[in-house]
Amino acid sequence: MSSPHIKSAAVAAALSALDEGRTPERPVLREAVRALLTVLAERAPGRSVEVRVPPYGAVQCVPGPRHTRGTPANVVEMEPETWLAVATGRLDWADAITQGRVRVSGIRADLSAHLPL
């Protein structure tokens, strides 16, 4: 399954900037993060895990018990650059966890089966 979001100009521009050691422009980074979060939500539909990439976006995904109120039991949170790296396969999920670049809580918060996109 291929999604047009993965091939979006924003994702390509953000990755190019990071490859060159530059910080992507905020609007480009925001669009890239949101595009890849959309792909994750499409490929792992559900509402049992909340994936947060502040300040740009968050999605609920992964099948399982639905979260409805208060703080979700299963949360994944990371910086935008880390999200781009794990979503595109430039950083392995396990390595990101080991390096402390991803904060996870809850028994369903392992996204390794869904990444890279």
Side-chain angles (χ1 to χ4, degrees), residues 8-113:
S8 81
V11 172
L15 291 173
S16 178
L18 292 171
D19 288 346
E20 295 169 6
R22 296 183 293 115
T23 300
E25 296 178 21
R26 280 184 66 88
V28 170
L29 188 55
R30 179 180 58 241
E31 186 178 333
V33 165
R34 289 179 179 173
L36 293 170
L37 284 171
T38 298
V39 174
L40 176 63
E42 290 170 354
R43 293 193 180 176
R47 300 183 67 84
S48 70
V49 177
E50 185 166 290
V51 179
R52 300 173 180 168
V53 185
Y56 299 123
V59 294
Q60 290 187 350
C61 57
V62 181
R66 180 178 176 179
H67 166 73
T68 56
R69 295 188 349 209
T71 302
N74 301 287
V75 176
V76 175
E77 188 169 332
M78 67 196 88
E79 300 295 320
E81 294 83 1
T82 301
W83 169 240
L84 290 179
V86 296
T88 60
R90 291 170 173 226
L91 176 61
D92 181 70
W93 174 256
D95 291 340
I97 297 289
T98 302
Q99 294 170 13
R101 295 177 63 180
V102 177
R103 294 167 298 286
V104 296
S105 65
I107 59 170
R108 296 182 180 275
D110 180 1
L111 297 181
S112 61

